[in-house]
Amino acid sequence: MHAHGNVIEARPDGIGAPKIEKPLQRHGGRLEHNETYCGSCYGAEAADDDCCNSCEDVREAYRKKGWALSNPDLIDQCKREGFLQKIKDEEGEGCNIYGFLEVNKVAGNFHFAPGKSFQQSNVHVHDLLAFQKESFNLSHKINRLAFGDYFPGVVNPLDSVHWTQEQPSGMYQYFLKVVPTVYTDVSGHTIQSNQFSVTEHFKGAEVGRLQSLPGVFFFYDLSPIKVTFTEQHVSFLHFLTNVCAIVGGVFTVSGILDSFIYHGQKAIKKKMEIGKFS
């Protein structure tokens, strides 16, 4: 996927793919004919009989241990799969993300950041060492972001918002105040939804000095106030009152204009008569 959202190309592996070495077994030897493959997890095994047969398996095992994968080229599975080369080939590409997320009705956050996430000393961190990069481009466009179902008149302030990063790296933050909203139409159908307001902040970082996790973060907090919208038909008495008010206003304005014109003509005629006799 191109950074602007266009598909670049699909390249399935096939004839002419480079010949790769046989996988390395957990016990140290290469995979032989009619032998079941069981790759090493490089110390991250949860049990003695655990196997990591792909680079993703090794990364997942490391994530569960709270370890960072510093050099994928030292991992046989990652080296055979060309993990680092795939990352280099994807340089400058973007991605489209679409989905739904259920959250509890308490303050929290969700974010989009590079690298595998794991817990280390009760802290949420991402493994960025595997990318072997010193800067990350966080430019993004939000096509639509909503908290709940659509209802008539709702305005989502982040729809079609586009931001282009000018610094080498950093953390872009959206702070959202979510207001629970109940909308009831004229037929009595009720929609439980939410509205939100937003403020934005960017925390930049110099090349090689990632003081914070690079990514796009959405911090949300729920308001204790609920907003209710109700559609109702206007009663005939209310309609009749409005008609009378309009008619009365028209007569009043007409009377003012008529009086102004009458007295104006009278004054002009009086001046003309005085002019004749003088």
Side-chain angles (χ1 to χ4, degrees):
M1 188 72 68
H2 191 270
H4 298 293
N6 301 318
V7 176
I8 298 174
E9 66 173 311
R11 294 179 295 181
D13 293 333
I15 298 175
K19 184 179 179 181
I20 58 176
E21 203 172 0
K22 291 182 179 180
L24 187 66
Q25 291 280 50
R26 187 176 56 159
H27 54 68
R30 292 289 174 182
L31 179 65
E32 300 296 336
H33 184 62
N34 294 330
E35 189 178 16
T36 302
Y37 176 50
C38 180
S40 172
C41 294
Y42 297 85
E45 298 90 347
D48 293 337
D49 57 347
D50 281 353
C51 300
C52 293
N53 296 340
S54 67
C55 182
E56 186 64 26
D57 290 344
V58 178
R59 295 180 68 203
E60 182 64 19
Y62 267 58
R63 187 190 68 81
K64 290 179 180 179
K65 284 283 188 179
W67 299 348
L69 193 62
S70 58
N71 189 355
D73 265 349
L74 298 178
I75 307 299
D76 179 68
Q77 294 90 322
C78 297
K79 187 176 181 179
R80 286 189 297 104
E81 295 175 10
F83 178 77
L84 288 181
Q85 187 58 45
K86 288 180 180 178
I87 292 178
K88 292 178 182 178
D89 292 342
E90 294 171 356
E91 181 73 27
E93 294 184 13
C95 59
N96 285 329
I97 300 176
Y98 171 84
F100 301 89
L101 181 67
E102 289 189 4
V103 297
N104 294 324
K105 290 187 176 182
V106 294
N109 83 85
F110 58 93
H111 56 269
F112 303 94
K116 279 277 187 179
S117 63
F118 57 91
Q119 296 291 124
Q120 189 175 62
S121 302
N122 295 323
V123 178
H124 180 83
V125 295
H126 283 241
D127 178 15
L128 303 180
L129 295 176
F131 293 96
Q132 298 184 351
K133 294 181 62 176
E134 295 182 342
S135 63
F136 296 89
N137 188 352
L138 306 176
S139 300
H140 58 273
K141 179 182 179 181
I142 302 174
N143 293 313
R144 183 172 184 268
L145 178 66
F147 286 81
D149 297 330
Y150 170 83
F151 61 89
V154 64
V155 177
N156 297 317
L158 288 181
D159 287 1
S160 301
V161 167
H162 183 270
W163 180 78
T164 302
Q165 179 175 307
E166 298 179 354
Q167 297 188 29
S169 191
M171 173 191 289
Y172 202 85
Q173 301 168 312
Y174 292 99
F175 297 92
L176 314 175
K177 190 68 173 182
V178 183
V179 181
T181 303
V182 179
Y183 175 85
T184 305
D185 60 20
V186 291
S187 62
H189 179 253
T190 299
I191 300 175
Q192 300 281 347
S193 189
N194 299 277
Q195 302 177 86
F196 68 92
S197 59
V198 60
T199 56
E200 307 170 24
H201 176 69
F202 177 70
K203 184 189 295 183
E206 298 177 2
V207 176
R209 298 183 60 185
L210 297 177
Q211 300 173 342
S212 57
L213 176 64
V216 181
F217 287 72
F218 298 83
F219 298 90
Y220 58 88
D221 190 14
L222 272 78
S223 171
I225 301 173
K226 178 184 285 188
V227 176
T228 301
F229 293 107
T230 305
E231 283 187 351
Q232 292 180 336
H233 286 297
V234 178
S235 65
F236 179 75
L237 183 60
H238 189 269
F239 171 74
L240 189 61
T241 303
N242 287 340
V243 171
C244 292
I246 293 171
V247 172
V250 170
F251 272 104
T252 301
V253 173
S254 300
I256 294 173
L257 290 175
D258 179 70
S259 176
F260 177 77
I261 293 171
Y262 172 75
H263 289 290
Q265 285 182 336
K266 190 174 181 181
I268 293 171
K269 189 179 292 186
K270 188 174 182 181
K271 286 184 178 181
M272 291 176 65
E273 289 177 355
I274 295 174
K276 285 182 179 180
F277 291 107
S278 60

